[in-house]
Amino acid sequence: MNLVFLGPPGSGKGTQAARLSGKAGVLHLSTGDLLREAVKNGTELGQQAEGYMSRGELVPDDLIVGLIENKLTAGELDKGFILDGFPRTVPQAEALKTMFTKNDMGLDHAVLIAVGDEEIVRRLSGRWFCPTCQRTYSYPANQPKVEGICDDDGTKLQRRKDDEEDVVRNRLDVYKKQTQPIEDFYRNESLLVEIDGEDSPDNVFAAIEKAVG
Ligand code: AP5
């Protein structure tokens, strides 16, 4: 199973990719998670990416393409994968296609999870995470037992800096201008499947499973 998950910020790519990769036993590779880890560890990549991320802008293509190319060269994608948050521009989609052609690999589907802007702002304003175990909570549906504290390890919950409403609105603009054109890229390759992401997480998962077989 070789998939890419597309969709606006907060559409549920991470939630669904984690669930499907667990069930199918394939790698879940989130470029957002890799970049946040790099920022946390103060690596060169993290230092280069931090400003773009905090403003809700995309990190330059060459940094991200290099990151994915290293994973592919190391054989990490050999047993199937879900790429979550990559590609995000047409040049990234083209670079991925070139990498796959060189390595005799291919994509099975590009799964687009569609959610409207106001639902996204609502979801991201209610997203909190535990910096220790990374568990995510979403208010009001999935709250911790004690306000602001992780149920699993007692750590104080945090919000992502890029989940502030003004940054979310910028991420949505960036999505429409720079990422939405790749929907046509994959439609033209007959790889795009579209899922209604405004349904419950269970129903969205069932729709994805049905679409990707
Ligand atoms: P990244 O981390 O990829 O952020 P994103 O795409 O904006 O996505 P999110 O992680 O915010 O949301 P998601 O779609 O995964 O939804 P989730 O499942 O968490 O990227 C961050 C930044 O890194 C970018 O802005 C950019 O700067 C940089 N970057 C990353 N990749 C890059 C690339 N390729 N090129 C350049 N720059 C790059 O769900 C969201 C919330 O909704 C959660 O609280 C969840 O519990 C809840 N939820 C999920 N599903 C449902 C549902 N069905 N109903 C109700 N609530 C739901």
Side-chain angles (χ1 to χ4, degrees):
M1 179 189 280
N2 293 349
L3 303 175
V4 298
F5 274 19
L6 314 173
S11 54
K13 301 181 296 296
T15 303
Q16 299 296 339
R19 192 164 163 182
L20 186 60
S21 66
K23 189 164 177 184
V26 299
L27 177 76
H28 170 199
L29 194 60
S30 156
T31 42
D33 287 348
L34 290 176
L35 290 170
R36 276 184 289 278
E37 187 67 19
V39 170
K40 194 169 131 195
N41 295 333
T43 65
E44 196 183 332
L45 172 67
Q47 288 169 21
Q48 287 170 310
E50 190 170 13
Y52 296 102
M53 295 174 77
S54 62
R55 292 188 295 273
E57 295 166 9
L58 296 184
V59 169
D61 287 336
D62 53 342
L63 292 181
I64 293 289
V65 169
L67 199 64
I68 297 293
E69 204 157 21
N70 289 342
K71 300 273 173 198
L72 191 143
T73 312
E76 292 184 34
L77 307 190
D78 287 355
K79 292 186 180 148
F81 56 83
I82 302 174
L83 298 181
D84 157 15
F86 180 91
R88 238 174 167 107
T89 61
V90 171
Q92 289 181 20
E94 285 167 344
L96 185 65
K97 189 175 173 185
T98 305
M99 276 183 241
F100 282 160
T101 306
K102 271 193 210 156
N103 289 277
D104 203 18
M105 292 169 71
L107 274 184
D108 297 315
H109 300 285
V111 178
L112 169 64
I113 306 178
V115 177
D117 289 5
E118 295 316 309
E119 170 66 7
I120 281 168
V121 172
R122 190 192 66 73
R123 282 186 194 179
L124 295 185
S125 66
R127 174 164 68 178
W128 291 76
F129 75 98
C130 171
T132 304
C133 69
Q134 308 305 319
R135 179 169 168 183
T136 300
Y137 297 85
S138 48
Y139 286 69
N142 167 28
Q143 300 187 24
K145 292 188 186 99
V146 179
E147 174 69 27
I149 301 294
C150 179
D151 291 346
D152 292 341
D153 52 35
T155 306
K156 198 165 177 244
L157 300 180
Q158 293 181 3
R159 289 190 67 201
R160 270 171 53 175
K161 283 184 196 152
D162 61 352
D163 279 350
E164 297 299 330
E165 183 170 340
D166 56 333
V167 184
V168 170
R169 298 226 179 252
N170 190 38
R171 287 162 66 195
L172 284 167
D173 280 348
V174 167
Y175 179 80
K176 283 169 197 157
K177 288 187 189 121
Q178 293 181 258
T179 306
Q180 226 158 21
I182 63 177
E183 293 174 16
D184 276 340
F185 178 93
Y186 285 121
R187 200 172 277 120
N188 291 338
E189 305 244 321
S190 303
L191 289 172
L192 193 75
V193 293
E194 293 186 53
I195 305 290
D196 173 8
E198 295 213 16
D199 212 334
S200 69
D202 284 350
N203 287 347
V204 173
F205 184 70
I208 293 172
E209 275 199 305
K210 192 172 170 204
V212 304

